[in-house]
Amino acid sequence: MHPSRPHTATALLTAATAAAGVWAWRDYRAWKSLGKGGLPHNAKGWLITTCFRLRAGDPLTTDVYHRAIGLPDDRPALGNLPHRNGPRPAIAPWPVPHRQTDQFPGTGMRQKLNDLFDATVDAHAETVQYKLSFYETHNPAVTLLDPDEGHAHARLGEGEVAHIHPDDGSMHMIFSPSDAKTVIEEGWGERHPMAGVLPNLPDTYLFVYPPRDEAELAVVKELLHASIAHMSARPGPCA
């Protein structure tokens, strides 16, 4: 072996290690800038979400719903949704926290979104309440009063129905398979990359884009009511 080759190999390994370290540090800092989510907001949480990236599914496919559509627990609640105008927001590459990086709503619209959630919880007080999010762990979530009486989706996340992310105004909601397909195809949201991958995350757990105007706020209202309708339904005869 040529005497310089071991030194060359060592130099290449050192350079690769340094480059990987720089990438990891920058990626970690960018991940932390998204704010808190359902994982520890430290290096451990970053390592977990980095592993999740290797298992993430296609957020825009609806093929996963074909087998479930029409089964007893698939009860569509949405009518004909309008198609959302413009491109979808850019989504950060980390599955947790699941956040968008542009198309943020203004302060006024954020307040209207909060008011919409509050009014909807009040209107469904016999079914849902606010409770600390099972998935996000830091934020309040619309949650079933009695998830144990519900179907599989209701039981998976201790009855969590929907929540708002304070950092960007986006939301997560759980829908019936038919409604999830409609939401994605009409451009109002996308699947969580770990939906149907992690055992307690239903495959209809969707990321819903925040409203940019009054018309889109009205659509979000429809989505939230559909999510509550799905999650509060009693199990079908074959569940």
Side-chain angles (χ1 to χ4, degrees), residues 69-239:
I69 289 176
L71 294 180
D73 283 334
D74 179 45
R75 300 165 188 168
L78 290 173
N80 294 322
L81 284 183
H83 192 77
R84 182 181 182 272
N85 293 325
R88 296 175 187 267
I91 305 298
W94 304 277
V96 183
H98 194 201
R99 301 291 187 267
Q100 65 189 63
T101 59
D102 61 10
Q103 299 189 32
F104 302 120
T107 302
M109 184 55 64
R110 290 279 295 275
Q111 185 57 55
K112 289 181 179 180
L113 181 61
N114 290 335
D115 292 344
L116 168 62
F117 266 62
D118 291 346
T120 303
V121 170
D122 288 344
H124 294 272
E126 76 287 352
T127 305
V128 297
Q129 63 181 335
Y130 275 126
K131 189 177 178 181
L132 189 65
S133 172
F134 171 81
Y135 294 113
E136 288 283 318
T137 72
H138 301 283
N139 313 325
V142 181
T143 307
L144 295 175
L145 291 172
D146 193 4
D148 291 338
E149 294 298 318
H151 50 68
H153 284 183
R155 299 190 296 271
L156 277 179
E158 298 184 0
E160 181 159 341
V161 177
H163 58 253
I164 304 173
H165 305 131
D167 300 309
D168 63 3
S170 63
M171 296 149 277
H172 280 123
M173 300 183 190
I174 302 173
F175 297 94
S176 68
S178 289
D179 285 345
K181 183 175 184 289
T182 298
V183 172
I184 294 171
E185 291 181 344
E186 295 303 333
W188 296 100
E190 59 188 71
R191 295 174 66 238
H192 190 287
M194 304 306 292
V197 177
L198 296 180
N200 62 355
L201 209 58
D203 58 10
T204 62
Y205 184 83
L206 301 192
F207 183 93
V208 175
Y209 311 135
R212 298 169 292 183
D213 55 34
E214 294 289 343
E216 292 192 356
L217 183 66
V219 171
V220 170
K221 180 178 180 179
E222 288 188 57
L223 301 186
L224 182 56
H225 280 273
S227 181
I228 291 174
H230 167 62
M231 293 293 284
S232 61
R234 289 296 181 252
C238 297

